[in-house]
Amino acid sequence: MQFEATPEQVEAVCSTIREFGLEPLALPGDRMAVGIPSAIPTDKREPLDAVISSLPGVSKVTHVSRPYKLSSMEFRRQKTVVEVKGVPIGAGHFTVFAGPCSVESYEQLTASAVAVKAAGARVLRGGAFKPRTSPYAFQGLGVAGLEIMKRVGDEQGMVTISEVMSPDMVGVVADHVDILQIGARSMQNYPLLIAAGESGKPVFLKRGPSATIDEFLLAAEYILNRGNPNVILCERGIVGHDRTYARNTLDLNAVPILKEFSHLPVVVDPSHGVGVARYVPAMTRAAIGAGADGVMLEVHPNPKEALSDASQTLTVEQFQKLMDEVRRFADAWGMSLA
Ligand code: PEP
Ligand code: MN
């Protein structure tokens, strides 16, 4: 719309879009824009362009150049800050998510929470439903693990996050934790994305190991278009050609790219990205340099005995040392630790 467009002129554009059987989305900014966050049938494009361009107050009609819409900078000109119980994620804050790969017991999670909180982490992670490559590996404590997560989160005053693997479990996971994690293997489980979108809870969406940037943002789109604006993107490593020395290839290219094309916060998970504890600090520092809004790190009071992802899990001492570096690196980039 033109700078001086009146609310009536904006409404006339919206009602014209509705007359074409489409739903408009008002996008306030320096000046108002009106978007159409759905596919426009080819036969409607030209007539719609012609009618709208001729309406008073309209500056120009453009077509978004990317397949995703709601997650795109073209649809929302301010960066999204997802705020969970007072903890900001995005836009100038650097937020640390930390905790064990899996919730194993009340004692294990409490020890992890106390340690990571003291070192500066704001969000406590821990899986109760674990997507394991082998059906014979530890599958997580299930609902009992969620109950431990809720209790420890409450007792330690931390925001909590845990993975949900199927649409029918969204309700129970949402009842126990503050943020729903959708794992890399589930990034293209569309019924799960829709259910997470409808839950109204913030969603932490991990990039699939083989997903392109467009596929990743289109997965986010499934959550956003259910009316849930609180999506956090997570780069956690993609499949590389050499898996001898590292589990995955942490795609740090994705960070500046996602931040250019999307307004959503971008968090990096160096633990899964590299898969080897001793390389996690270097990739954490690199993630800050790349412009990430935070990191997710696996930490355990006794990694050697961790029931999952032992080899990539930091000890409490390693985590404390790394947090000193995180503070200095974030500060150097003009970011405050959330
Ligand atoms: C996890 O966070 O423990 C996990 C299973 O991660 P990903 O989905 O990235 O493999
Ligand atoms: Mn893990």
mmCIF file of all heavy atoms in Angstrom, residues 65-110:
data_model
loop_
_atom_site.group_PDB
_atom_site.id
_atom_site.type_symbol
_atom_site.label_atom_id
_atom_site.label_comp_id
_atom_site.label_asym_id
_atom_site.label_seq_id
_atom_site.Cartn_x
_atom_site.Cartn_y
_atom_site.Cartn_z
ATOM 1 N N SER A 65 8.882 -14.216 -4.353
ATOM 2 C CA SER A 65 9.778 -14.930 -5.248
ATOM 3 C C SER A 65 10.162 -16.310 -4.723
ATOM 4 O O SER A 65 10.872 -17.040 -5.358
ATOM 5 C CB SER A 65 11.029 -14.083 -5.447
ATOM 6 O OG SER A 65 11.529 -13.693 -4.182
ATOM 7 N N ARG A 66 9.688 -16.670 -3.531
ATOM 8 C CA ARG A 66 10.081 -17.942 -2.915
ATOM 9 C C ARG A 66 8.847 -18.809 -2.706
ATOM 10 O O ARG A 66 7.739 -18.283 -2.565
ATOM 11 C CB ARG A 66 10.735 -17.676 -1.555
ATOM 12 C CG ARG A 66 11.867 -16.673 -1.606
ATOM 13 C CD ARG A 66 13.176 -17.332 -1.969
ATOM 14 N NE ARG A 66 14.101 -16.341 -2.506
ATOM 15 C CZ ARG A 66 15.255 -16.636 -3.066
ATOM 16 N NH1 ARG A 66 15.633 -17.897 -3.173
ATOM 17 N NH2 ARG A 66 16.025 -15.694 -3.529
ATOM 18 N N PRO A 67 9.033 -20.120 -2.573
ATOM 19 C CA PRO A 67 7.862 -20.981 -2.405
ATOM 20 C C PRO A 67 7.195 -20.836 -1.028
ATOM 21 O O PRO A 67 6.016 -21.125 -0.891
ATOM 22 C CB PRO A 67 8.416 -22.399 -2.591
ATOM 23 C CG PRO A 67 9.887 -22.293 -2.404
ATOM 24 C CD PRO A 67 10.272 -20.894 -2.775
ATOM 25 N N TYR A 68 7.964 -20.404 -0.037
ATOM 26 C CA TYR A 68 7.374 -20.220 1.298
ATOM 27 C C TYR A 68 6.895 -18.783 1.406
ATOM 28 O O TYR A 68 7.406 -17.901 0.713
ATOM 29 C CB TYR A 68 8.412 -20.527 2.390
ATOM 30 C CG TYR A 68 9.782 -19.997 2.072
ATOM 31 C CD1 TYR A 68 10.137 -18.694 2.404
ATOM 32 C CD2 TYR A 68 10.694 -20.772 1.374
ATOM 33 C CE1 TYR A 68 11.378 -18.188 2.075
ATOM 34 C CE2 TYR A 68 11.946 -20.272 1.029
ATOM 35 C CZ TYR A 68 12.278 -18.982 1.383
ATOM 36 O OH TYR A 68 13.499 -18.480 1.043
ATOM 37 N N LYS A 69 5.930 -18.564 2.238
ATOM 38 C CA LYS A 69 5.371 -17.210 2.346
ATOM 39 C C LYS A 69 5.461 -16.679 3.776
ATOM 40 O O LYS A 69 6.147 -15.719 4.063
ATOM 41 C CB LYS A 69 3.914 -17.217 1.882
ATOM 42 C CG LYS A 69 3.776 -17.578 0.398
ATOM 43 C CD LYS A 69 2.393 -17.289 -0.117
ATOM 44 C CE LYS A 69 2.266 -17.601 -1.592
ATOM 45 N NZ LYS A 69 1.076 -16.980 -2.177
ATOM 46 N N LEU A 70 4.729 -17.351 4.704
ATOM 47 C CA LEU A 70 4.650 -16.820 6.070
ATOM 48 C C LEU A 70 6.002 -16.779 6.768
ATOM 49 O O LEU A 70 6.215 -15.964 7.662
ATOM 50 C CB LEU A 70 3.671 -17.655 6.899
ATOM 51 C CG LEU A 70 2.223 -17.633 6.419
ATOM 52 C CD1 LEU A 70 1.386 -18.623 7.208
ATOM 53 C CD2 LEU A 70 1.641 -16.222 6.556
ATOM 54 N N SER A 71 6.915 -17.683 6.393
ATOM 55 C CA SER A 71 8.224 -17.688 7.051
ATOM 56 C C SER A 71 9.181 -16.707 6.376
ATOM 57 O O SER A 71 10.298 -16.498 6.849
ATOM 58 C CB SER A 71 8.822 -19.103 7.018
ATOM 59 O OG SER A 71 8.872 -19.574 5.687
ATOM 60 N N SER A 72 8.727 -16.113 5.285
ATOM 61 C CA SER A 72 9.619 -15.294 4.472
ATOM 62 C C SER A 72 9.701 -13.851 4.973
ATOM 63 O O SER A 72 8.748 -13.301 5.515
ATOM 64 C CB SER A 72 9.083 -15.334 3.039
ATOM 65 O OG SER A 72 9.342 -14.140 2.372
ATOM 66 N N MET A 73 10.858 -13.229 4.733
ATOM 67 C CA MET A 73 11.042 -11.808 5.052
ATOM 68 C C MET A 73 10.099 -10.942 4.220
ATOM 69 O O MET A 73 9.799 -9.822 4.579
ATOM 70 C CB MET A 73 12.473 -11.380 4.724
ATOM 71 C CG MET A 73 13.503 -11.475 5.807
ATOM 72 S SD MET A 73 13.024 -11.079 7.472
ATOM 73 C CE MET A 73 13.762 -9.523 7.727
ATOM 74 N N GLU A 74 9.647 -11.474 3.065
ATOM 75 C CA GLU A 74 8.746 -10.698 2.217
ATOM 76 C C GLU A 74 7.371 -10.540 2.878
ATOM 77 O O GLU A 74 6.613 -9.639 2.550
ATOM 78 C CB GLU A 74 8.578 -11.378 0.851
ATOM 79 C CG GLU A 74 9.854 -11.358 0.031
ATOM 80 C CD GLU A 74 9.730 -12.155 -1.258
ATOM 81 O OE1 GLU A 74 9.732 -13.400 -1.206
ATOM 82 O OE2 GLU A 74 9.638 -11.536 -2.314
ATOM 83 N N PHE A 75 7.046 -11.468 3.774
ATOM 84 C CA PHE A 75 5.736 -11.430 4.416
ATOM 85 C C PHE A 75 5.747 -10.792 5.796
ATOM 86 O O PHE A 75 4.707 -10.481 6.352
ATOM 87 C CB PHE A 75 5.148 -12.853 4.511
ATOM 88 C CG PHE A 75 4.121 -13.102 3.450
ATOM 89 C CD1 PHE A 75 4.499 -13.162 2.127
ATOM 90 C CD2 PHE A 75 2.778 -13.227 3.769
ATOM 91 C CE1 PHE A 75 3.566 -13.354 1.131
ATOM 92 C CE2 PHE A 75 1.826 -13.415 2.777
ATOM 93 C CZ PHE A 75 2.223 -13.483 1.458
ATOM 94 N N ARG A 76 6.913 -10.684 6.385
ATOM 95 C CA ARG A 76 6.981 -10.063 7.702
ATOM 96 C C ARG A 76 8.328 -9.387 7.770
ATOM 97 O O ARG A 76 9.355 -10.044 7.689
ATOM 98 C CB ARG A 76 6.860 -11.127 8.791
ATOM 99 C CG ARG A 76 6.813 -10.565 10.181
ATOM 100 C CD ARG A 76 6.841 -11.683 11.219
ATOM 101 N NE ARG A 76 7.504 -11.208 12.401
ATOM 102 C CZ ARG A 76 6.873 -10.683 13.438
ATOM 103 N NH1 ARG A 76 5.571 -10.643 13.485
ATOM 104 N NH2 ARG A 76 7.558 -10.223 14.469
ATOM 105 N N ARG A 77 8.301 -8.068 7.891
ATOM 106 C CA ARG A 77 9.551 -7.345 7.742
ATOM 107 C C ARG A 77 10.339 -7.234 9.037
ATOM 108 O O ARG A 77 11.505 -6.889 9.004
ATOM 109 C CB ARG A 77 9.310 -5.971 7.108
ATOM 110 C CG ARG A 77 9.210 -5.992 5.581
ATOM 111 C CD ARG A 77 7.873 -6.427 4.967
ATOM 112 N NE ARG A 77 6.689 -5.719 5.407
ATOM 113 C CZ ARG A 77 6.136 -4.687 4.793
ATOM 114 N NH1 ARG A 77 6.693 -4.183 3.723
ATOM 115 N NH2 ARG A 77 5.019 -4.163 5.246
ATOM 116 N N GLN A 78 9.692 -7.546 10.201
ATOM 117 C CA GLN A 78 10.471 -7.525 11.440
ATOM 118 C C GLN A 78 10.868 -8.951 11.802
ATOM 119 O O GLN A 78 10.128 -9.887 11.554
ATOM 120 C CB GLN A 78 9.715 -6.995 12.669
ATOM 121 C CG GLN A 78 8.833 -5.807 12.485
ATOM 122 C CD GLN A 78 7.405 -6.211 12.132
ATOM 123 O OE1 GLN A 78 7.147 -6.847 11.103
ATOM 124 N NE2 GLN A 78 6.456 -5.837 12.960
ATOM 125 N N LYS A 79 12.020 -9.096 12.455
ATOM 126 C CA LYS A 79 12.466 -10.411 12.912
ATOM 127 C C LYS A 79 11.539 -10.899 14.029
ATOM 128 O O LYS A 79 11.126 -10.116 14.891
ATOM 129 C CB LYS A 79 13.895 -10.311 13.446
ATOM 130 C CG LYS A 79 14.921 -10.071 12.354
ATOM 131 C CD LYS A 79 15.171 -11.353 11.594
ATOM 132 C CE LYS A 79 16.204 -11.174 10.490
ATOM 133 N NZ LYS A 79 16.388 -12.409 9.708
ATOM 134 N N THR A 80 11.233 -12.174 14.006
ATOM 135 C CA THR A 80 10.405 -12.758 15.064
ATOM 136 C C THR A 80 11.255 -13.019 16.300
ATOM 137 O O THR A 80 12.361 -13.542 16.203
ATOM 138 C CB THR A 80 9.795 -14.088 14.561
ATOM 139 O OG1 THR A 80 8.786 -13.767 13.605
ATOM 140 C CG2 THR A 80 9.171 -14.900 15.686
ATOM 141 N N VAL A 81 10.732 -12.628 17.446
ATOM 142 C CA VAL A 81 11.340 -13.010 18.715
ATOM 143 C C VAL A 81 10.332 -13.932 19.392
ATOM 144 O O VAL A 81 9.200 -13.529 19.655
ATOM 145 C CB VAL A 81 11.622 -11.794 19.626
ATOM 146 C CG1 VAL A 81 12.296 -12.240 20.919
ATOM 147 C CG2 VAL A 81 12.478 -10.769 18.906
ATOM 148 N N VAL A 82 10.716 -15.169 19.617
ATOM 149 C CA VAL A 82 9.828 -16.097 20.319
ATOM 150 C C VAL A 82 10.143 -15.925 21.796
ATOM 151 O O VAL A 82 11.280 -16.121 22.225
ATOM 152 C CB VAL A 82 10.069 -17.550 19.864
ATOM 153 C CG1 VAL A 82 9.205 -18.516 20.663
ATOM 154 C CG2 VAL A 82 9.781 -17.683 18.367
ATOM 155 N N GLU A 83 9.140 -15.529 22.563
ATOM 156 C CA GLU A 83 9.392 -15.311 23.982
ATOM 157 C C GLU A 83 8.668 -16.385 24.779
ATOM 158 O O GLU A 83 7.470 -16.572 24.629
ATOM 159 C CB GLU A 83 8.909 -13.916 24.384
ATOM 160 C CG GLU A 83 9.358 -13.617 25.782
ATOM 161 C CD GLU A 83 9.553 -12.141 26.071
ATOM 162 O OE1 GLU A 83 9.863 -11.369 25.149
ATOM 163 O OE2 GLU A 83 9.377 -11.809 27.250
ATOM 164 N N VAL A 84 9.419 -17.136 25.560
ATOM 165 C CA VAL A 84 8.832 -18.233 26.323
ATOM 166 C C VAL A 84 9.103 -17.984 27.799
ATOM 167 O O VAL A 84 10.261 -17.982 28.230
ATOM 168 C CB VAL A 84 9.432 -19.597 25.911
ATOM 169 C CG1 VAL A 84 8.604 -20.737 26.490
ATOM 170 C CG2 VAL A 84 9.522 -19.727 24.402
ATOM 171 N N LYS A 85 8.045 -17.744 28.564
ATOM 172 C CA LYS A 85 8.172 -17.466 30.003
ATOM 173 C C LYS A 85 9.289 -16.455 30.281
ATOM 174 O O LYS A 85 10.163 -16.688 31.125
ATOM 175 C CB LYS A 85 8.430 -18.752 30.777
ATOM 176 C CG LYS A 85 7.221 -19.687 30.824
ATOM 177 C CD LYS A 85 7.503 -20.834 31.758
ATOM 178 C CE LYS A 85 6.279 -21.665 32.038
ATOM 179 N NZ LYS A 85 6.629 -22.977 32.608
ATOM 180 N N GLY A 86 9.303 -15.382 29.514
ATOM 181 C CA GLY A 86 10.293 -14.330 29.759
ATOM 182 C C GLY A 86 11.653 -14.583 29.116
ATOM 183 O O GLY A 86 12.529 -13.723 29.189
ATOM 184 N N VAL A 87 11.856 -15.739 28.500
ATOM 185 C CA VAL A 87 13.141 -15.999 27.826
ATOM 186 C C VAL A 87 12.987 -15.669 26.339
ATOM 187 O O VAL A 87 12.180 -16.286 25.643
ATOM 188 C CB VAL A 87 13.575 -17.475 27.994
ATOM 189 C CG1 VAL A 87 14.847 -17.756 27.192
ATOM 190 C CG2 VAL A 87 13.784 -17.803 29.469
ATOM 191 N N PRO A 88 13.759 -14.672 25.859
ATOM 192 C CA PRO A 88 13.650 -14.312 24.435
ATOM 193 C C PRO A 88 14.528 -15.199 23.562
ATOM 194 O O PRO A 88 15.648 -15.531 23.934
ATOM 195 C CB PRO A 88 14.172 -12.871 24.419
ATOM 196 C CG PRO A 88 15.124 -12.793 25.573
ATOM 197 C CD PRO A 88 14.720 -13.828 26.589
ATOM 198 N N ILE A 89 13.984 -15.573 22.415
ATOM 199 C CA ILE A 89 14.767 -16.347 21.440
ATOM 200 C C ILE A 89 14.669 -15.590 20.125
ATOM 201 O O ILE A 89 13.584 -15.476 19.551
ATOM 202 C CB ILE A 89 14.221 -17.785 21.305
ATOM 203 C CG1 ILE A 89 14.237 -18.488 22.678
ATOM 204 C CG2 ILE A 89 15.038 -18.583 20.280
ATOM 205 C CD1 ILE A 89 13.179 -19.540 22.858
ATOM 206 N N GLY A 90 15.811 -15.038 19.689
ATOM 207 C CA GLY A 90 15.840 -14.293 18.426
ATOM 208 C C GLY A 90 16.174 -12.822 18.612
ATOM 209 O O GLY A 90 16.117 -12.290 19.723
ATOM 210 N N ALA A 91 16.566 -12.195 17.471
ATOM 211 C CA ALA A 91 16.795 -10.756 17.384
ATOM 212 C C ALA A 91 17.646 -10.148 18.503
ATOM 213 O O ALA A 91 17.157 -9.406 19.361
ATOM 214 C CB ALA A 91 15.466 -10.024 17.266
ATOM 215 N N GLY A 92 18.918 -10.479 18.473
ATOM 216 C CA GLY A 92 19.858 -9.795 19.359
ATOM 217 C C GLY A 92 20.137 -10.502 20.670
ATOM 218 O O GLY A 92 21.044 -10.139 21.401
ATOM 219 N N HIS A 93 19.341 -11.534 20.966
ATOM 220 C CA HIS A 93 19.597 -12.307 22.185
ATOM 221 C C HIS A 93 20.261 -13.607 21.769
ATOM 222 O O HIS A 93 19.928 -14.179 20.737
ATOM 223 C CB HIS A 93 18.292 -12.632 22.896
ATOM 224 C CG HIS A 93 17.450 -11.432 23.137
ATOM 225 N ND1 HIS A 93 17.686 -10.562 24.172
ATOM 226 C CD2 HIS A 93 16.394 -10.925 22.456
ATOM 227 C CE1 HIS A 93 16.802 -9.582 24.122
ATOM 228 N NE2 HIS A 93 16.009 -9.772 23.082
ATOM 229 N N PHE A 94 21.166 -14.094 22.588
ATOM 230 C CA PHE A 94 21.764 -15.400 22.309
ATOM 231 C C PHE A 94 21.305 -16.346 23.414
ATOM 232 O O PHE A 94 21.599 -16.154 24.593
ATOM 233 C CB PHE A 94 23.297 -15.304 22.255
ATOM 234 C CG PHE A 94 23.904 -16.536 21.657
ATOM 235 C CD1 PHE A 94 23.949 -16.707 20.283
ATOM 236 C CD2 PHE A 94 24.386 -17.558 22.471
ATOM 237 C CE1 PHE A 94 24.477 -17.873 19.723
ATOM 238 C CE2 PHE A 94 24.920 -18.711 21.919
ATOM 239 C CZ PHE A 94 24.968 -18.863 20.543
ATOM 240 N N THR A 95 20.539 -17.345 23.019
ATOM 241 C CA THR A 95 19.873 -18.198 23.999
ATOM 242 C C THR A 95 20.484 -19.597 23.980
ATOM 243 O O THR A 95 20.621 -20.194 22.910
ATOM 244 C CB THR A 95 18.368 -18.278 23.670
ATOM 245 O OG1 THR A 95 17.895 -16.941 23.441
ATOM 246 C CG2 THR A 95 17.580 -18.901 24.808
ATOM 247 N N VAL A 96 20.809 -20.087 25.158
ATOM 248 C CA VAL A 96 21.432 -21.412 25.235
ATOM 249 C C VAL A 96 20.428 -22.430 25.776
ATOM 250 O O VAL A 96 19.841 -22.247 26.843
ATOM 251 C CB VAL A 96 22.707 -21.371 26.106
ATOM 252 C CG1 VAL A 96 23.320 -22.771 26.236
ATOM 253 C CG2 VAL A 96 23.721 -20.388 25.504
ATOM 254 N N PHE A 97 20.247 -23.487 24.980
ATOM 255 C CA PHE A 97 19.404 -24.629 25.336
ATOM 256 C C PHE A 97 20.384 -25.737 25.722
ATOM 257 O O PHE A 97 21.281 -26.057 24.923
ATOM 258 C CB PHE A 97 18.611 -25.138 24.126
ATOM 259 C CG PHE A 97 17.647 -24.163 23.481
ATOM 260 C CD1 PHE A 97 18.076 -22.960 22.939
ATOM 261 C CD2 PHE A 97 16.296 -24.489 23.374
ATOM 262 C CE1 PHE A 97 17.181 -22.089 22.310
ATOM 263 C CE2 PHE A 97 15.390 -23.632 22.753
ATOM 264 C CZ PHE A 97 15.842 -22.424 22.222
ATOM 265 N N ALA A 98 20.249 -26.332 26.887
ATOM 266 C CA ALA A 98 21.209 -27.374 27.265
ATOM 267 C C ALA A 98 20.557 -28.410 28.156
ATOM 268 O O ALA A 98 19.555 -28.149 28.821
ATOM 269 C CB ALA A 98 22.425 -26.743 27.962
ATOM 270 N N GLY A 99 21.182 -29.585 28.167
ATOM 271 C CA GLY A 99 20.679 -30.673 29.001
ATOM 272 C C GLY A 99 21.025 -31.988 28.336
ATOM 273 O O GLY A 99 21.648 -32.011 27.267
ATOM 274 N N PRO A 100 20.628 -33.082 28.947
ATOM 275 C CA PRO A 100 20.996 -34.381 28.401
ATOM 276 C C PRO A 100 20.230 -34.700 27.121
ATOM 277 O O PRO A 100 19.179 -34.113 26.862
ATOM 278 C CB PRO A 100 20.586 -35.342 29.521
ATOM 279 C CG PRO A 100 19.480 -34.643 30.237
ATOM 280 C CD PRO A 100 19.795 -33.179 30.169
ATOM 281 N N CYS A 101 20.771 -35.650 26.368
ATOM 282 C CA CYS A 101 20.043 -36.110 25.187
ATOM 283 C C CYS A 101 18.699 -36.663 25.659
ATOM 284 O O CYS A 101 17.646 -36.241 25.173
ATOM 285 C CB CYS A 101 20.849 -37.180 24.455
ATOM 286 S SG CYS A 101 19.992 -37.809 23.009
ATOM 287 N N SER A 102 18.743 -37.591 26.626
ATOM 288 C CA SER A 102 17.510 -38.210 27.136
ATOM 289 C C SER A 102 17.325 -37.933 28.618
ATOM 290 O O SER A 102 18.297 -37.883 29.378
ATOM 291 C CB SER A 102 17.587 -39.737 27.005
ATOM 292 O OG SER A 102 17.724 -40.105 25.666
ATOM 293 N N VAL A 103 16.068 -37.808 29.007
ATOM 294 C CA VAL A 103 15.738 -37.797 30.433
ATOM 295 C C VAL A 103 15.913 -39.241 30.908
ATOM 296 O O VAL A 103 15.304 -40.159 30.343
ATOM 297 C CB VAL A 103 14.274 -37.362 30.656
ATOM 298 C CG1 VAL A 103 13.920 -37.424 32.134
ATOM 299 C CG2 VAL A 103 14.026 -35.971 30.082
ATOM 300 N N GLU A 104 16.757 -39.439 31.926
ATOM 301 C CA GLU A 104 17.009 -40.807 32.400
ATOM 302 C C GLU A 104 16.444 -41.034 33.793
ATOM 303 O O GLU A 104 16.015 -42.147 34.127
ATOM 304 C CB GLU A 104 18.519 -41.082 32.389
ATOM 305 C CG GLU A 104 19.104 -41.014 30.974
ATOM 306 C CD GLU A 104 20.630 -41.015 30.949
ATOM 307 O OE1 GLU A 104 21.266 -41.200 32.009
ATOM 308 O OE2 GLU A 104 21.183 -40.808 29.850
ATOM 309 N N SER A 105 16.472 -40.007 34.628
ATOM 310 C CA SER A 105 15.918 -40.118 35.981
ATOM 311 C C SER A 105 15.747 -38.711 36.535
ATOM 312 O O SER A 105 16.314 -37.748 35.990
ATOM 313 C CB SER A 105 16.871 -40.907 36.902
ATOM 314 O OG SER A 105 18.062 -40.147 37.090
ATOM 315 N N TYR A 106 15.018 -38.617 37.621
ATOM 316 C CA TYR A 106 14.851 -37.311 38.290
ATOM 317 C C TYR A 106 16.216 -36.778 38.728
ATOM 318 O O TYR A 106 16.530 -35.601 38.538
ATOM 319 C CB TYR A 106 13.899 -37.490 39.492
ATOM 320 C CG TYR A 106 13.828 -36.265 40.372
ATOM 321 C CD1 TYR A 106 13.131 -35.129 39.959
ATOM 322 C CD2 TYR A 106 14.478 -36.246 41.611
ATOM 323 C CE1 TYR A 106 13.086 -33.994 40.756
ATOM 324 C CE2 TYR A 106 14.425 -35.114 42.415
ATOM 325 C CZ TYR A 106 13.734 -33.989 41.984
ATOM 326 O OH TYR A 106 13.694 -32.873 42.769
ATOM 327 N N GLU A 107 17.035 -37.660 39.286
ATOM 328 C CA GLU A 107 18.348 -37.238 39.799
ATOM 329 C C GLU A 107 19.248 -36.750 38.651
ATOM 330 O O GLU A 107 19.913 -35.724 38.766
ATOM 331 C CB GLU A 107 19.051 -38.391 40.536
ATOM 332 C CG GLU A 107 18.398 -38.793 41.856
ATOM 333 C CD GLU A 107 17.048 -39.511 41.691
ATOM 334 O OE1 GLU A 107 16.796 -40.118 40.622
ATOM 335 O OE2 GLU A 107 16.227 -39.433 42.632
ATOM 336 N N GLN A 108 19.265 -37.517 37.570
ATOM 337 C CA GLN A 108 20.109 -37.141 36.423
ATOM 338 C C GLN A 108 19.667 -35.804 35.838
ATOM 339 O O GLN A 108 20.485 -34.939 35.525
ATOM 340 C CB GLN A 108 20.025 -38.249 35.354
ATOM 341 C CG GLN A 108 20.693 -37.924 34.023
ATOM 342 C CD GLN A 108 19.678 -37.733 32.881
ATOM 343 O OE1 GLN A 108 18.476 -37.562 33.122
ATOM 344 N NE2 GLN A 108 20.153 -37.767 31.658
ATOM 345 N N LEU A 109 18.345 -35.603 35.703
ATOM 346 C CA LEU A 109 17.885 -34.354 35.082
ATOM 347 C C LEU A 109 18.098 -33.176 36.033
ATOM 348 O O LEU A 109 18.457 -32.078 35.599
ATOM 349 C CB LEU A 109 16.416 -34.466 34.644
ATOM 350 C CG LEU A 109 15.979 -33.324 33.731
ATOM 351 C CD1 LEU A 109 16.737 -33.326 32.395
ATOM 352 C CD2 LEU A 109 14.475 -33.363 33.465
ATOM 353 N N THR A 110 17.888 -33.412 37.330
ATOM 354 C CA THR A 110 18.106 -32.324 38.295
ATOM 355 C C THR A 110 19.575 -31.900 38.282
ATOM 356 O O THR A 110 19.882 -30.701 38.215
ATOM 357 C CB THR A 110 17.687 -32.762 39.720
ATOM 358 O OG1 THR A 110 16.303 -33.089 39.684
ATOM 359 C CG2 THR A 110 17.912 -31.642 40.733
#
